Amino acid sequence: MPKRVGIEVSLAASEAACAVDSDVIAAYPITPQTHIVEHLSELVADGKLDAEFIPVESEHSAMSVCIGSSAVGARTFTASSAQGLALMHEILFIAPALRTPIVMAVVNRAMSGPISIWNDHSDIMAERDVGWIQTFAENGQEVFDLIIHAFRVAEDPKVLLPVMVNLDGFTLSHVIEPIEMLNAREVRRYIKPYKPQMVLDPKHPVTMGAVGVPEVYTEAKQQIESVLRASKKVVVSAWKEFARLYGRTYRPIETYRTKGAEVVLMTMGSVSETAMTAVDKMRDKEIAVGLMRFRLWRPFPLEEFRRAVKGVKVLAVLDRAISYGAQGGPVFMEVRSALYGQAGQPNISGFVAGLGGRDITTDMFEEMVKKAIRYAKKGKGPTYELIGVREK
Amino acid sequence: MMKAASGGFKKFTPKTLPKFEPLAQGHRACQGCGEVLALRMALKAMGKNMIIASATGCMEIITSAYPQTAWDVPWIHVAFENAAAVASGIEAGRKVLMRKGRLPKGRTTIVAMAGDGGTADIGLQALSGALERGHDFVYICLDNEAYMNTGVQRSSATPYGAMTTTSPPGKLSIGQYTWKKNVPAIVEAHAIPYVATAAPAYYVDLMNKAKKAAMIRGPAYLHIYSPCPTGWRLAPERAVAISRLAVQTNIFPLYEVIDGRYILTKKIKKPKPVEEYLGLQGRFRHLDKKTIQEIQERVDREYEALLQKATLAEVQEEST
Amino acid sequence: MLCSKRISKLNREGVKRLAKVDAITGWRNLEIGCAIIEPGSSRKLRTGDWRSQRPVTDRDKCIKCGMCWIYCPDMVYLPLRSGYFKWDENYCKGCGICANECPEDAISMVMEGD
């Protein structure tokens, strides 16, 4: 059995990239991602990981280097956060288009302005449409496991898409947790050597990234869309295989005490552990509340989500990002549209909280649940509000 | 670095030019495109064993409009400003795969190519990063002195006085009001083993420099003057002739910088007046005598400064 | 292996079709990442029809120096065993660089149709 060790979560993320024997790591430092790349550069410097560590001059170049190395068949890892992720934005679209199975740890952090190094999800929510598979971790063990899982999914010949594994900055990335670390030998049962399908090779010259004339652009997009949608099967079966080998189970939608729940709180990321405590407290007060979390965010697990909310009367959706001027937070809007026209759909309320590192307490979760129940009783349509804003 | 590489260096002569063509016929460059010509010459010299990372630009669109490609060598385009970064990844990826025994060992020339906009402006940072990290690659800047692909807008490599669509001459303007950015000097400041300028008229010189750049371990930079008849308002048949004139007027001097030592590869004993060069191009048609004189003085001064840097003893006489 | 199979299929389907016609295909037929796996397939594009003038070489004056070949941006001069160069009408855009650079004035540009 693998040993459980106390380790900082960022370091565990690096150890995961090391356990899969990454070939190239290109990264630019940004708080709170730094510990991941620092530790990776140590692993390379100490000869524990035989990889090229490329200390690039920007995140834009980090992602560009990753595409280059992946295009010649190298297993490629990087990590970023907030402004860095945004600087990559242009190139993020191109990685799935060229079908380069890069894996990136995204250490979620608030976007400027004002500048903030602390945690929320405004960085990743701006990258929903780039064509990457996106998963969310709630604790250190999940970070380690999901990174290993990401390589298996990304490099599957049926997928060949890049994957982002999201973990919350500081509140998750910088804490020390007991984590069961799989070593390279153990990971080899799960991760097979990467067999690239399309490589830059002088012996077989191919042209990658050709101009997408109007006659082909739509079809090129359809390829990405189809492969991304179909990747859900691979994502799920890779989790099943993970459970079989290592005993830990993951699902696209994770649930907690949803049995018999009339009210369900929806979250994602590390705040879910606080949410669980809040659910326990409310259950003690006889409120029939449960919790659902998105583990898989892209492709959006529509069927699993609809199945999970069946019978739920009230949904309270937490967003950790603002979508200025929109009808609500990004998660709220997607949840609502996923349920549109469904028979017996729940009353949905959206809440934005925990921006730029502000704590979300169990009391705040309780407030959201109670408000959602109240709005449902009053028959108020979908609402959206910020929680914890001082007016005075 | 250079010495080791130059040990086996056999120069091309007009009679020993390689027959290999990296580009296929049917590319969609304009009539008389000096840029695709410069590219063709440089890549011919480097041989078939190469991988190219291309920036967005004329050369990208004229060679790769789906579903046809003009490339007979492996080629990738990712974006505008990152050719040097993509090339870095290609080089590093292959290096580690060879080390781990997953690719047969052997040297492949990794080429990054971009225009002057993709080099002097938007791609300068990625270029600097890749040079500083010391990747084993050749960067080719095909300098046609403006953003031609988007319709002739000025770049920082556009020469003083030139008319472009964003540096139009007018009542209050002489056209481009800044002097051409000296990218080879910026590159040279990275202390890389090889920097060279070249022009298609001097094709043997160009091809020898390209071959040298490919042979050298570490980063090498080629800055190739690439006439654009369309953007320069130049008769297409004069594309090669204008590149000869650019050298003969000292507007675009040919030199190498090997491990920091400047070497003039074409010394012009009696430079022609710049007016002769400017007069052939519509983009300079509006210039008055005073401005032409100003340009002449600047060219003379810059050439003097280059002479100072060059090791005169090593001035080489090149045929053609 | 896979690539070469696909290429021969592409060739069978005929090289004469126009570029845009070739691009009109179902998305399932696209290569991974919309890559183009047939090197040099631009040869299907006959850019020669852009031309209004064509170069004519006077072989009596030609000294086989190869300037037309090396200075051609469109690779339309093919070296022959005899030392002369064969002009390829399929791709010549008629820019006139060859005529301008020929040291013996052996090449002249004549209007198409003349």
Side-chain angles (χ1 to χ4, degrees), chain B residues 14-15 17-19 21 23-34 36-37 40-41 44 63-73 200-203 207 236-241 244 320, chain C residues 17-20 22-23 25 29-31 34-36 38-45 47 50-52 64-65 67 69-76 78-79 88 91 93-97 100-101:
Chain B
K15 289 286 163 207
L17 298 177
K19 298 282 177 277
E21 298 288 354
L23 278 164
Q25 295 159 317
H27 66 69
R28 305 173 195 206
C30 303
Q31 271 190 338
C33 174
V36 79
L37 176 60
R40 172 193 171 219
M41 287 176 174
K44 264 175 95 68
T63 56
S64 82
Y66 195 88
Q68 276 96 25
T69 179
W71 293 100
D72 270 329
V73 290
Y202 301 90
Y203 61 95
M207 290 174 74
E237 71 269 19
R238 287 196 164 134
V240 169
R244 191 174 294 116
T320 1
Chain C
R17 284 188 296 172
L18 288 170
K20 292 204 167 176
D22 271 356
T25 182
N29 299 331
L30 302 182
E31 297 296 331
C34 210
I36 304 174
E38 185 190 356
S41 53
S42 65
R43 290 185 185 92
K44 291 173 194 171
L45 302 167
T47 50
W50 299 10
R51 183 174 68 234
S52 55
K64 305 175 183 178
C65 68
M67 292 299 140
W69 168 69
I70 194 66
Y71 282 135
C72 178
D74 297 299
M75 289 84 72
V76 302
L78 309 175
D88 190 339
Y91 305 103
K93 295 167 188 160
C95 68
I97 289 178
N100 205 57
E101 293 301 322

Side-chain angles (χ1 to χ4, degrees), chain A residues 21-23 50-52 54 56-58 60 64-65 69 72 90-91 94 202 205-211 213 216, chain B residues 49 51 60 64 66 69 72-78 81-82 85 89 92 95-97 99-100 102 125-126 129 133:
Chain A
D21 192 28
S22 295
D23 298 315
D50 186 4
E52 286 293 306
I54 307 174
V56 283
E57 82 298 331
S58 76
H60 194 282
S64 305
V65 167
S69 62
V72 294
E90 179 200 15
I91 310 302
I94 303 169
V206 293
T207 292
M208 294 171 75
V211 178
V213 293
V216 80
Chain B
N49 186 8
I51 298 176
E60 172 249 337
S64 82
Y66 195 88
T69 179
D72 270 329
V73 290
W75 181 91
I76 185 171
H77 161 251
V78 178
E81 65 282 62
N82 64 354
K95 192 158 80 180
V96 65
L97 291 180
R99 196 165 67 221
K100 287 178 164 178
R102 280 161 42 208
Q125 176 180 315
R133 292 190 300 269

Side-chain angles (χ1 to χ4, degrees), chain A residues 74-93:
Chain A
R75 181 170 284 166
T76 303
F77 181 77
T78 185
S80 195
S81 191
Q83 310 306 121
L85 190 68
L87 186 55
M88 284 181 184
H89 180 70
E90 179 200 15
I91 310 302
L92 290 180
F93 280 93

Side-chain angles (χ1 to χ4, degrees), chain A residues 262-323:
Chain A
E262 291 184 3
V263 191
V264 161
L265 194 57
M266 287 239 45
T267 59
M268 54 213 292
S270 64
V271 78
S272 306
E273 302 212 331
T274 313
M276 285 182 209
T277 312
V279 165
D280 289 343
K281 279 170 88 177
M282 286 184 273
R283 281 279 188 173
D284 289 345
K285 295 181 198 167
E286 311 264 302
I287 303 171
V289 62
L291 174 69
M292 274 170 36
R293 297 100 72 195
F294 282 104
R295 157 93 51 226
L296 179 65
W297 179 236
R298 283 291 182 276
F300 188 89
L302 185 66
E303 293 80 14
E304 291 83 350
F305 172 71
R306 282 180 177 166
R307 242 192 333 268
V309 295
K310 228 172 213 142
V312 173
K313 294 199 175 69
V314 180
L315 255 188
V317 182
L318 170 68
D319 261 293
R320 307 210 43 215
I322 282 190
S323 182

